Amino acid sequence: MKQTYIKTWGCQMNEYDSSMIAKYLEKTGQYSMTTNSEKADILVLNTCSIREKAQEKVFHQLGRWKKLKNKNPNVIIAVGGCVATQEGEEIFKRSKHVDIIFGTQSLHKLPKMISEIEKKRKFLIDISFPELDKFNCSLPVQKKGYTASVSIMEGCNKYCTFCIVPYTRGKEISRPSDDILFEISNLAENGIREVNLLGQNVNAYQGPTFNGKTCFFSELLRLISEIDGIDRIRFTTSNPLEFTDDIIEVYKDTPKLVSFLHLPVQSGSNKILKLMKRSYTTEKYEKIIEKLIEARPNIQISSDFIVGFPGESKEDFQQTINFIKKINFDMSYSFIYSSRPGTPASEMKDEINLKEKKERLYILQNYINKQTMSWSRRMLGSIQSVLVEGISKNNPMELYGKTENNRIVNFYGSSKIIGKFAQVKINKVHTHNLKGTLL
Protein backbone atom coordinates (compact mmCIF):
# COMPACT_ATOMS: atom_id res chain seq x y z
CA MET A 1 0.00 0.00 0.00
CA LYS A 2 1.37 3.38 -1.00
CA GLN A 3 1.41 6.12 1.61
CA THR A 4 -0.52 9.26 0.62
CA TYR A 5 -0.21 12.65 2.27
CA ILE A 6 -2.92 15.28 1.63
CA LYS A 7 -2.37 18.93 2.58
CA THR A 8 -5.50 21.09 2.50
CA TRP A 9 -5.89 24.86 2.41
CA GLY A 10 -9.16 26.75 2.41
CA CYS A 11 -12.80 26.47 3.34
CA GLN A 12 -15.01 23.58 4.41
CA MET A 13 -15.59 22.75 0.74
CA ASN A 14 -11.85 22.13 0.35
CA GLU A 15 -11.86 19.97 3.48
CA TYR A 16 -14.79 18.03 2.07
CA ASP A 17 -13.04 17.60 -1.28
CA SER A 18 -9.91 16.31 0.49
CA SER A 19 -12.00 13.73 2.34
CA MET A 20 -13.38 12.60 -1.03
CA ILE A 21 -9.87 12.35 -2.48
CA ALA A 22 -8.88 10.13 0.43
CA LYS A 23 -11.94 7.92 -0.11
CA TYR A 24 -11.33 7.58 -3.86
CA LEU A 25 -7.72 6.55 -3.28
CA GLU A 26 -8.46 4.16 -0.41
CA LYS A 27 -11.27 2.54 -2.38
CA THR A 28 -8.70 1.20 -4.88
CA GLY A 29 -7.03 -0.79 -2.10
CA GLN A 30 -3.63 0.53 -3.19
CA TYR A 31 -3.30 3.65 -1.04
CA SER A 32 -3.44 4.51 2.63
CA MET A 33 -3.31 7.94 4.27
CA THR A 34 -0.36 9.21 6.29
CA THR A 35 0.25 12.37 8.34
CA ASN A 36 3.99 12.28 7.59
CA SER A 37 4.83 13.96 4.29
CA GLU A 38 8.45 12.75 4.40
CA LYS A 39 7.35 9.10 4.27
CA ALA A 40 4.70 9.58 1.58
CA ASP A 41 4.77 8.06 -1.91
CA ILE A 42 2.02 10.44 -3.08
CA LEU A 43 1.88 14.12 -2.10
CA VAL A 44 -1.43 15.90 -2.76
CA LEU A 45 -1.88 19.65 -2.32
CA ASN A 46 -5.53 20.74 -2.32
CA THR A 47 -5.49 24.52 -2.75
CA CYS A 48 -7.63 27.60 -2.16
CA SER A 49 -7.40 30.92 -4.04
CA ILE A 50 -9.45 33.10 -1.71
CA ARG A 51 -6.63 34.56 0.36
CA GLU A 52 -3.94 37.01 -0.72
CA LYS A 53 -0.95 35.64 -2.62
CA ALA A 54 -2.53 32.18 -2.75
CA GLN A 55 -0.50 31.27 -5.82
CA GLU A 56 2.81 32.16 -4.19
CA LYS A 57 1.87 30.15 -1.13
CA VAL A 58 1.36 27.14 -3.41
CA PHE A 59 4.75 27.53 -5.09
CA HIS A 60 6.49 27.90 -1.73
CA GLN A 61 4.95 24.61 -0.61
CA LEU A 62 5.92 22.94 -3.87
CA GLY A 63 9.46 24.21 -3.33
CA ARG A 64 9.56 22.42 0.01
CA TRP A 65 8.22 19.24 -1.58
CA LYS A 66 10.85 19.44 -4.33
CA LYS A 67 13.45 18.51 -1.70
CA LEU A 68 11.49 15.35 -0.91
CA LYS A 69 11.34 14.47 -4.59
CA ASN A 70 15.08 15.04 -4.96
CA LYS A 71 15.58 12.42 -2.25
CA ASN A 72 13.08 10.03 -3.86
CA PRO A 73 12.39 10.66 -7.59
CA ASN A 74 9.51 8.16 -7.50
CA VAL A 75 7.42 10.44 -5.30
CA ILE A 76 4.34 11.69 -7.19
CA ILE A 77 3.20 15.27 -6.57
CA ALA A 78 -0.38 16.30 -7.42
CA VAL A 79 -1.86 19.78 -7.15
CA GLY A 80 -5.62 20.27 -7.04
CA GLY A 81 -8.27 22.75 -5.95
CA CYS A 82 -8.97 26.33 -6.93
CA VAL A 83 -5.41 27.49 -7.61
CA ALA A 84 -4.86 24.43 -9.82
CA THR A 85 -7.99 25.29 -11.82
CA GLN A 86 -6.99 28.95 -12.07
CA GLU A 87 -3.31 28.52 -12.92
CA GLY A 88 -3.40 25.31 -14.97
CA GLU A 89 -0.19 24.61 -16.89
CA GLU A 90 1.50 27.66 -15.35
CA ILE A 91 2.13 25.45 -12.34
CA PHE A 92 4.11 23.02 -14.50
CA LYS A 93 6.14 25.84 -15.99
CA ARG A 94 7.23 27.11 -12.58
CA SER A 95 7.43 23.75 -10.79
CA LYS A 96 8.54 21.11 -13.25
CA HIS A 97 8.69 18.46 -10.52
CA VAL A 98 4.87 18.46 -10.29
CA ASP A 99 3.33 15.37 -11.95
CA ILE A 100 -0.43 15.99 -11.84
CA ILE A 101 -2.76 18.99 -11.89
CA PHE A 102 -6.45 18.32 -11.27
CA GLY A 103 -9.42 20.64 -10.83
CA THR A 104 -12.20 21.00 -8.28
CA GLN A 105 -14.54 18.94 -10.49
CA SER A 106 -12.07 16.28 -11.63
CA LEU A 107 -10.70 15.02 -8.32
CA HIS A 108 -12.42 11.63 -8.83
CA LYS A 109 -10.00 11.02 -11.72
CA LEU A 110 -6.95 11.23 -9.48
CA PRO A 111 -6.47 7.46 -8.88
CA LYS A 112 -6.40 6.81 -12.63
CA MET A 113 -4.07 9.78 -13.23
CA ILE A 114 -1.64 8.49 -10.59
CA SER A 115 -1.70 5.06 -12.22
CA GLU A 116 -0.86 6.60 -15.61
CA ILE A 117 2.02 8.61 -14.13
CA GLU A 118 3.45 5.46 -12.58
CA LYS A 119 3.49 3.83 -16.01
CA LYS A 120 4.65 6.72 -18.21
CA ARG A 121 6.14 9.32 -15.83
CA LYS A 122 4.74 12.13 -17.95
CA PHE A 123 2.84 15.00 -16.37
CA LEU A 124 -0.96 15.07 -16.63
CA ILE A 125 -3.52 17.85 -16.32
CA ASP A 126 -7.33 17.75 -16.04
CA ILE A 127 -9.05 20.93 -14.88
CA SER A 128 -12.28 20.31 -16.79
CA PHE A 129 -15.76 20.87 -15.37
CA PRO A 130 -17.64 17.57 -15.83
CA GLU A 131 -20.45 18.86 -13.60
CA LEU A 132 -21.25 16.42 -10.78
CA ASP A 133 -19.31 13.36 -11.91
CA LYS A 134 -17.18 13.43 -8.77
CA PHE A 135 -20.26 12.58 -6.68
CA ASN A 136 -21.44 9.71 -8.87
CA CYS A 137 -19.00 7.07 -7.64
CA SER A 138 -20.11 4.97 -4.70
CA LEU A 139 -17.86 5.68 -1.74
CA PRO A 140 -17.64 4.08 1.71
CA VAL A 141 -18.74 6.13 4.71
CA GLN A 142 -15.79 7.27 6.78
CA LYS A 143 -16.92 8.01 10.32
CA LYS A 144 -14.87 10.53 12.25
CA GLY A 145 -16.81 11.78 15.23
CA TYR A 146 -20.53 12.39 15.22
CA THR A 147 -20.84 15.31 12.81
CA ALA A 148 -20.37 15.25 9.04
CA SER A 149 -20.35 17.68 6.14
CA VAL A 150 -22.29 16.93 2.96
CA SER A 151 -21.85 18.91 -0.25
CA ILE A 152 -25.24 19.61 -1.86
CA MET A 153 -24.14 21.84 -4.76
CA GLU A 154 -21.10 23.30 -6.50
CA GLY A 155 -20.23 26.64 -8.03
CA CYS A 156 -21.73 30.12 -7.96
CA ASN A 157 -23.54 32.39 -10.44
CA LYS A 158 -23.24 35.64 -8.49
CA TYR A 159 -19.86 36.91 -9.79
CA CYS A 160 -19.20 39.27 -6.87
CA THR A 161 -16.43 41.60 -8.01
CA PHE A 162 -13.96 40.38 -5.35
CA CYS A 163 -14.54 36.63 -5.70
CA ILE A 164 -12.69 34.07 -7.80
CA VAL A 165 -14.99 31.12 -6.98
CA PRO A 166 -17.19 31.25 -10.14
CA TYR A 167 -14.02 30.99 -12.22
CA THR A 168 -12.49 28.10 -10.25
CA ARG A 169 -15.58 26.04 -9.33
CA GLY A 170 -17.86 26.89 -12.22
CA LYS A 171 -21.55 27.78 -12.35
CA GLU A 172 -24.11 26.63 -9.80
CA ILE A 173 -25.14 23.02 -10.18
CA SER A 174 -27.14 21.05 -7.63
CA ARG A 175 -26.82 17.38 -6.74
CA PRO A 176 -29.96 15.23 -7.11
CA SER A 177 -31.95 15.35 -3.87
CA ASP A 178 -32.19 11.55 -3.65
CA ASP A 179 -28.39 11.22 -3.78
CA ILE A 180 -28.06 13.67 -0.90
CA LEU A 181 -30.74 11.94 1.18
CA PHE A 182 -29.14 8.54 0.53
CA GLU A 183 -25.72 9.82 1.61
CA ILE A 184 -27.10 11.37 4.80
CA SER A 185 -29.12 8.22 5.60
CA ASN A 186 -25.91 6.18 5.36
CA LEU A 187 -24.16 8.65 7.65
CA ALA A 188 -27.00 8.36 10.18
CA GLU A 189 -26.75 4.56 10.12
CA ASN A 190 -23.06 4.93 10.93
CA GLY A 191 -23.65 7.08 14.01
CA ILE A 192 -23.63 10.63 12.60
CA ARG A 193 -26.01 12.87 14.54
CA GLU A 194 -25.38 16.27 12.97
CA VAL A 195 -24.93 17.26 9.31
CA ASN A 196 -23.61 20.47 7.82
CA LEU A 197 -24.80 21.10 4.26
CA LEU A 198 -22.11 22.69 2.11
CA GLY A 199 -22.12 24.83 -1.01
CA GLN A 200 -20.92 28.17 -2.27
CA ASN A 201 -24.55 29.33 -2.12
CA VAL A 202 -26.70 26.60 -0.56
CA ASN A 203 -29.94 28.56 -0.56
CA ALA A 204 -29.81 28.58 -4.38
CA TYR A 205 -30.09 24.77 -4.33
CA GLN A 206 -32.44 23.37 -7.00
CA GLY A 207 -31.80 19.65 -7.23
CA PRO A 208 -33.54 17.25 -9.61
CA THR A 209 -35.76 14.57 -8.07
CA PHE A 210 -36.38 10.96 -9.16
CA ASN A 211 -39.66 11.94 -10.88
CA GLY A 212 -38.22 14.82 -12.91
CA LYS A 213 -39.32 17.63 -10.61
CA THR A 214 -37.16 20.18 -8.77
CA CYS A 215 -36.40 20.08 -5.06
CA PHE A 216 -35.72 23.51 -3.58
CA PHE A 217 -33.57 24.17 -0.54
CA SER A 218 -36.47 24.62 1.89
CA GLU A 219 -37.92 21.25 0.85
CA LEU A 220 -34.52 19.55 1.12
CA LEU A 221 -34.13 20.80 4.71
CA ARG A 222 -37.50 19.32 5.68
CA LEU A 223 -36.71 15.98 3.99
CA ILE A 224 -33.37 15.72 5.80
CA SER A 225 -35.11 16.46 9.11
CA GLU A 226 -37.20 13.31 8.61
CA ILE A 227 -34.15 11.03 8.52
CA ASP A 228 -33.95 8.94 11.70
CA GLY A 229 -30.77 9.57 13.68
CA ILE A 230 -30.09 13.04 12.31
CA ASP A 231 -30.99 15.46 15.09
CA ARG A 232 -29.19 18.61 14.01
CA ILE A 233 -28.93 20.36 10.65
CA ARG A 234 -26.61 23.23 9.74
CA PHE A 235 -25.71 24.79 6.43
CA THR A 236 -23.04 27.10 5.04
CA THR A 237 -22.81 29.34 3.24
CA SER A 238 -25.69 31.37 1.84
CA ASN A 239 -26.34 34.65 0.06
CA PRO A 240 -28.87 37.22 1.36
CA LEU A 241 -30.04 37.75 -2.21
CA GLU A 242 -31.71 34.34 -2.24
CA PHE A 243 -32.62 33.91 1.41
CA THR A 244 -36.30 33.63 0.50
CA ASP A 245 -39.39 33.45 2.70
CA ASP A 246 -39.86 29.71 2.11
CA ILE A 247 -36.44 29.09 3.71
CA ILE A 248 -37.33 31.35 6.65
CA GLU A 249 -40.57 29.36 7.11
CA VAL A 250 -38.51 26.21 7.76
CA TYR A 251 -37.28 27.79 10.99
CA LYS A 252 -40.88 27.83 12.21
CA ASP A 253 -41.63 24.12 11.80
CA THR A 254 -38.27 22.29 11.70
CA PRO A 255 -36.65 22.23 15.16
CA LYS A 256 -33.74 20.10 13.93
CA LEU A 257 -32.50 23.14 11.99
CA VAL A 258 -30.21 24.92 14.46
CA SER A 259 -30.93 28.38 15.84
CA PHE A 260 -27.65 29.63 14.43
CA LEU A 261 -27.12 31.04 10.95
CA HIS A 262 -24.03 32.18 9.07
CA LEU A 263 -25.23 34.80 6.58
CA PRO A 264 -22.42 36.81 4.92
CA VAL A 265 -23.09 40.54 4.51
CA GLN A 266 -19.49 41.69 3.68
CA SER A 267 -20.14 45.40 4.36
CA GLY A 268 -22.56 47.70 6.17
CA SER A 269 -22.31 50.34 3.43
CA ASN A 270 -24.71 50.18 0.49
CA LYS A 271 -22.16 52.01 -1.64
CA ILE A 272 -19.57 49.29 -1.02
CA LEU A 273 -22.12 46.50 -1.48
CA LYS A 274 -22.89 47.93 -4.91
CA LEU A 275 -19.19 48.05 -5.79
CA MET A 276 -18.92 44.44 -4.63
CA LYS A 277 -21.92 43.55 -6.83
CA ARG A 278 -23.68 41.93 -3.90
CA SER A 279 -27.10 42.93 -5.37
CA TYR A 280 -28.81 43.58 -2.02
CA THR A 281 -28.86 46.45 0.46
CA THR A 282 -28.33 46.60 4.20
CA GLU A 283 -32.07 47.31 4.48
CA LYS A 284 -32.91 44.05 2.71
CA TYR A 285 -30.43 42.16 4.89
CA GLU A 286 -31.96 43.66 8.02
CA LYS A 287 -35.46 42.68 6.86
CA ILE A 288 -34.32 39.05 6.48
CA ILE A 289 -32.95 39.07 10.03
CA GLU A 290 -36.22 40.54 11.35
CA LYS A 291 -38.20 37.74 9.68
CA LEU A 292 -35.79 35.12 11.01
CA ILE A 293 -36.12 36.43 14.57
CA GLU A 294 -39.90 36.36 14.20
CA ALA A 295 -39.71 32.74 13.05
CA ARG A 296 -37.04 31.69 15.60
CA PRO A 297 -36.75 34.28 18.42
CA ASN A 298 -33.55 32.77 19.89
CA ILE A 299 -31.60 32.66 16.61
CA GLN A 300 -28.01 33.98 16.53
CA ILE A 301 -26.31 35.33 13.42
CA SER A 302 -22.70 35.22 12.29
CA SER A 303 -21.36 36.86 9.15
CA ASP A 304 -18.43 37.67 6.85
CA PHE A 305 -16.83 41.10 6.47
CA ILE A 306 -14.27 42.44 4.01
CA VAL A 307 -12.38 45.44 5.36
CA GLY A 308 -10.65 48.01 3.14
CA PHE A 309 -12.44 47.21 -0.14
CA PRO A 310 -11.44 49.68 -2.90
CA GLY A 311 -13.43 52.87 -2.41
CA GLU A 312 -14.25 52.22 1.26
CA SER A 313 -14.13 55.60 3.01
CA LYS A 314 -13.97 56.13 6.76
CA GLU A 315 -17.69 56.89 6.63
CA ASP A 316 -18.36 53.58 4.82
CA PHE A 317 -16.37 51.71 7.47
CA GLN A 318 -18.26 53.46 10.26
CA GLN A 319 -21.51 52.39 8.61
CA THR A 320 -20.26 48.79 8.83
CA ILE A 321 -19.49 49.19 12.55
CA ASN A 322 -22.93 50.71 13.13
CA PHE A 323 -24.52 47.81 11.24
CA ILE A 324 -22.61 45.27 13.35
CA LYS A 325 -24.00 46.87 16.50
CA LYS A 326 -27.52 47.08 15.05
CA ILE A 327 -27.76 43.43 13.99
CA ASN A 328 -25.77 42.32 17.06
CA PHE A 329 -23.79 39.66 15.20
CA ASP A 330 -22.54 36.83 17.35
CA MET A 331 -19.38 35.91 15.43
CA SER A 332 -17.68 36.76 12.15
CA TYR A 333 -15.03 35.82 9.64
CA SER A 334 -13.41 39.14 8.78
CA PHE A 335 -10.49 39.84 6.47
CA ILE A 336 -8.55 42.66 4.91
CA TYR A 337 -9.41 42.95 1.22
CA SER A 338 -6.81 41.41 -1.06
CA SER A 339 -6.94 41.60 -4.84
CA ARG A 340 -7.61 38.33 -6.66
CA PRO A 341 -6.14 38.28 -10.18
CA GLY A 342 -8.84 37.96 -12.81
CA THR A 343 -11.65 39.50 -10.75
CA PRO A 344 -13.29 42.86 -11.61
CA ALA A 345 -12.24 44.33 -8.25
CA SER A 346 -8.59 43.78 -9.16
CA GLU A 347 -9.02 46.56 -11.74
CA MET A 348 -10.39 49.01 -9.15
CA LYS A 349 -8.19 51.72 -7.66
CA ASP A 350 -7.19 50.77 -4.12
CA GLU A 351 -6.07 53.90 -2.27
CA ILE A 352 -6.30 52.58 1.31
CA ASN A 353 -2.89 51.83 2.80
CA LEU A 354 -2.23 48.59 4.63
CA LYS A 355 -1.80 50.29 8.02
CA GLU A 356 -5.29 51.81 7.74
CA LYS A 357 -6.78 48.46 6.69
CA LYS A 358 -5.21 46.70 9.67
CA GLU A 359 -6.53 49.36 12.05
CA ARG A 360 -10.04 49.00 10.63
CA LEU A 361 -9.87 45.23 10.91
CA TYR A 362 -8.76 45.49 14.55
CA ILE A 363 -11.66 47.81 15.36
CA LEU A 364 -14.19 45.58 13.63
CA GLN A 365 -12.96 42.36 15.24
CA ASN A 366 -12.88 44.05 18.64
CA TYR A 367 -16.57 44.95 18.35
CA ILE A 368 -17.48 41.44 17.19
CA ASN A 369 -15.48 39.83 20.02
CA LYS A 370 -17.32 41.94 22.60
CA GLN A 371 -20.65 40.88 21.13
CA THR A 372 -19.56 37.22 21.04
CA MET A 373 -18.74 37.40 24.76
CA SER A 374 -22.04 39.16 25.45
CA TRP A 375 -23.94 36.35 23.71
CA SER A 376 -21.97 33.77 25.70
CA ARG A 377 -22.75 35.51 29.00
CA ARG A 378 -26.45 35.28 28.16
CA MET A 379 -26.04 31.51 28.31
CA LEU A 380 -24.93 31.56 31.94
CA GLY A 381 -27.40 29.51 33.97
CA SER A 382 -29.16 28.21 30.86
CA ILE A 383 -29.67 24.56 29.98
CA GLN A 384 -28.16 23.66 26.60
CA SER A 385 -28.57 20.62 24.38
CA VAL A 386 -24.99 19.46 23.76
CA LEU A 387 -23.83 16.87 21.23
CA VAL A 388 -21.15 15.04 23.23
CA GLU A 389 -18.19 14.53 20.90
CA GLY A 390 -15.45 13.07 23.09
CA ILE A 391 -12.92 13.46 25.87
CA SER A 392 -11.83 17.05 26.54
CA LYS A 393 -8.41 17.87 25.09
CA ASN A 394 -7.48 19.98 28.11
CA ASN A 395 -8.73 17.68 30.87
CA PRO A 396 -8.99 13.90 30.34
CA MET A 397 -11.46 13.72 33.23
CA GLU A 398 -13.96 15.87 31.32
CA LEU A 399 -16.09 15.45 28.21
CA TYR A 400 -16.68 18.09 25.59
CA GLY A 401 -19.47 18.82 23.17
CA LYS A 402 -20.99 21.56 21.05
CA THR A 403 -24.13 23.62 21.54
CA GLU A 404 -26.49 24.70 18.78
CA ASN A 405 -24.77 28.10 18.64
CA ASN A 406 -21.29 26.59 18.10
CA ARG A 407 -19.96 26.89 21.66
CA ILE A 408 -17.65 24.22 23.04
CA VAL A 409 -18.77 23.06 26.50
CA ASN A 410 -16.56 21.07 28.90
CA PHE A 411 -18.19 19.09 31.70
CA TYR A 412 -17.81 15.96 33.84
CA GLY A 413 -19.67 12.86 32.71
CA SER A 414 -19.47 9.20 31.70
CA SER A 415 -17.85 8.28 28.39
CA LYS A 416 -20.98 6.20 27.71
CA ILE A 417 -22.79 9.34 26.56
CA ILE A 418 -20.25 10.18 23.84
CA GLY A 419 -22.13 10.41 20.55
CA LYS A 420 -25.38 11.31 22.27
CA PHE A 421 -27.13 14.54 23.15
CA ALA A 422 -26.96 15.66 26.76
CA GLN A 423 -28.61 18.42 28.76
CA VAL A 424 -25.91 20.60 30.32
CA LYS A 425 -26.37 23.59 32.61
CA ILE A 426 -23.87 26.37 31.84
CA ASN A 427 -22.17 27.66 35.00
CA LYS A 428 -18.99 29.32 33.71
CA VAL A 429 -18.20 31.42 30.63
CA HIS A 430 -14.69 31.69 29.19
CA THR A 431 -13.45 33.44 26.05
CA HIS A 432 -13.18 30.29 23.93
CA ASN A 433 -15.37 27.77 25.74
CA LEU A 434 -17.98 27.20 28.41
CA LYS A 435 -18.06 25.07 31.56
CA GLY A 436 -21.17 23.16 32.47
CA THR A 437 -22.80 20.58 34.71
CA LEU A 438 -24.41 17.47 33.26
CA LEU A 439 -28.06 17.15 34.26
Side-chain angles (χ1 to χ4, degrees):
M1 300 251 315
K2 292 173 183 176
Q3 298 292 300
T4 305
Y5 175 81
I6 302 175
K7 189 173 186 66
T8 309
W9 289 328
C11 64
Q12 288 173 300
M13 288 293 290
N14 287 69
E15 296 287 349
Y16 183 83
D17 283 350
S18 288
S19 70
M20 291 188 71
I21 291 169
K23 289 178 187 178
Y24 281 123
L25 291 170
E26 289 177 335
K27 186 181 178 184
T28 66
Q30 299 176 43
Y31 307 95
S32 61
M33 298 302 114
T34 179
T35 57
N36 189 341
S37 60
E38 295 187 3
K39 293 185 178 180
D41 304 294
I42 316 292
L43 295 168
V44 181
L45 182 58
N46 188 14
T47 64
C48 172
S49 59
I50 295 296
R51 298 294 183 87
E52 185 178 12
K53 299 179 180 176
Q55 290 86 343
E56 292 309 310
K57 187 178 177 183
V58 168
F59 290 116
H60 288 159
Q61 182 60 53
L62 293 176
R64 289 188 284 270
W65 281 359
K66 185 177 182 179
K67 296 176 183 177
L68 298 179
K69 189 149 187 170
N70 288 339
K71 290 181 182 178
N72 179 8
N74 291 323
V75 167
I76 293 174
I77 297 177
V79 182
C82 295
V83 174
T85 303
Q86 187 179 356
E87 295 296 306
E89 290 192 13
E90 288 300 314
I91 294 175
F92 285 135
K93 291 177 182 178
R94 287 187 59 178
S95 300
K96 297 187 183 301
H97 56 290
V98 171
D99 300 286
I100 296 170
I101 296 174
F102 63 98
T104 55
Q105 304 298 337
S106 54
L107 55 86
H108 58 294
K109 300 179 182 180
L110 187 56
K112 186 177 179 181
M113 295 174 81
I114 291 174
S115 180
E116 289 183 27
I117 288 292
E118 288 173 334
K119 293 174 184 176
K120 299 179 182 178
R121 301 304 304 188
K122 185 179 180 181
F123 76 80
L124 295 173
I125 181 170
D126 189 333
I127 52 174
S128 59
F129 286 87
E131 296 192 342
L132 295 175
D133 288 0
K134 72 179 185 182
F135 295 107
N136 293 336
C137 301
S138 177
L139 291 170
V141 173
Q142 288 185 335
K143 183 175 176 295
K144 293 181 180 178
Y146 301 93
T147 66
S149 295
V150 176
S151 181
I152 66 169
M153 64 177 297
E154 285 272 345
C156 184
N157 294 346
K158 302 300 173 288
Y159 291 91
C160 299
T161 58
F162 57 83
C163 188
I164 198 69
V165 166
Y167 308 97
T168 58
R169 286 192 176 267
K171 293 185 178 180
E172 290 172 358
I173 182 165
S174 302
R175 291 178 66 192
S177 59
D178 296 301
D179 290 358
I180 295 168
L181 296 172
F182 181 72
E183 181 177 346
I184 295 175
S185 295
N186 281 342
L187 290 169
E189 288 176 6
N190 283 271
I192 295 298
R193 306 298 303 277
E194 174 184 299
V195 291
N196 184 19
L197 309 179
L198 300 181
Q200 274 71 41
N201 184 18
V202 291
N203 48 343
Y205 174 84
Q206 297 182 35
T209 64
F210 70 95
N211 57 2
K213 295 184 178 181
T214 298
C215 176
F216 293 92
F217 187 53
S218 56
E219 182 184 355
L220 181 68
L221 289 171
R222 290 194 175 95
L223 290 171
I224 293 170
S225 73
E226 294 174 8
I227 297 174
D228 290 338
I230 298 299
D231 294 299
R232 248 191 214 163
I233 305 168
R234 303 181 187 273
F235 58 84
T236 188
T237 186
S238 48
N239 190 307
L241 187 64
E242 292 173 309
F243 212 97
T244 48
D245 288 347
D246 62 309
I247 297 173
I248 294 171
E249 285 292 315
V250 181
Y251 284 89
K252 291 182 179 179
D253 56 33
T254 311
K256 288 185 180 182
L257 182 59
V258 297
S259 297
F260 188 88
L261 170 66
H262 184 72
L263 187 60
V265 64
Q266 307 299 358
S267 175
S269 162
N270 285 334
K271 183 191 93 176
I272 298 302
L273 290 176
K274 189 173 182 180
L275 288 172
M276 290 177 170
K277 199 186 170 186
R278 290 296 284 178
S279 301
Y280 56 83
T281 62
T282 55
E283 289 79 13
K284 178 171 181 176
Y285 187 98
E286 188 177 351
K287 189 66 178 176
I288 293 169
I289 302 304
E290 288 174 358
K291 290 179 180 179
L292 281 164
I293 292 172
E294 184 180 346
R296 189 74 69 88
N298 62 333
I299 196 166
Q300 290 170 236
I301 310 296
S302 67
S303 196
D304 291 347
F305 294 94
I306 295 175
V307 174
F309 190 81
E312 182 188 74
S313 65
K314 290 182 179 180
E315 182 183 351
D316 295 318
F317 176 69
Q318 187 57 49
Q319 287 176 16
T320 297
I321 296 300
N322 294 342
F323 195 67
I324 286 171
K325 294 177 184 177
K326 189 173 188 179
I327 301 297
N328 195 16
F329 290 104
D330 180 14
M331 302 175 182
S332 81
Y333 296 98
S334 47
F335 311 98
I336 290 173
Y337 169 76
S338 59
S339 176
R340 308 277 18 96
T343 61
S346 66
E347 304 296 323
M348 296 180 184
K349 197 171 184 179
D350 186 0
E351 296 178 330
I352 311 167
N353 64 59
L354 184 58
K355 182 175 181 290
E356 175 70 17
K357 289 180 182 180
K358 286 182 177 180
E359 288 175 355
R360 292 182 189 182
L361 182 65
Y362 175 80
I363 292 168
L364 185 148
Q365 290 181 339
N366 191 44
Y367 273 106
I368 291 286
N369 290 338
K370 286 179 180 177
Q371 290 179 188
T372 300
M373 197 63 185
S374 176
W375 278 106
S376 292
R377 289 195 185 103
R378 293 187 191 187
M379 300 172 69
L380 196 62
S382 69
I383 297 171
Q384 298 289 323
S385 178
V386 175
L387 175 55
V388 187
E389 298 192 32
I391 306 296
S392 173
K393 296 173 183 177
N394 297 324
N395 185 349
M397 300 301 291
E398 289 183 324
L399 302 175
Y400 82 95
K402 191 178 286 184
T403 63
E404 269 197 44
N405 61 349
N406 273 332
R407 263 63 171 184
I408 296 293
V409 185
N410 295 297
F411 58 95
Y412 291 102
S414 168
S415 60
K416 292 180 181 179
I417 64 171
I418 292 175
K420 299 178 181 178
F421 283 88
Q423 297 300 300
V424 179
K425 184 174 182 178
I426 306 303
N427 47 40
K428 283 186 182 179
V429 176
H430 301 295
T431 304
H432 300 295
N433 59 65
L434 310 173
K435 287 278 188 179
T437 302
L438 179 66
L439 301 183

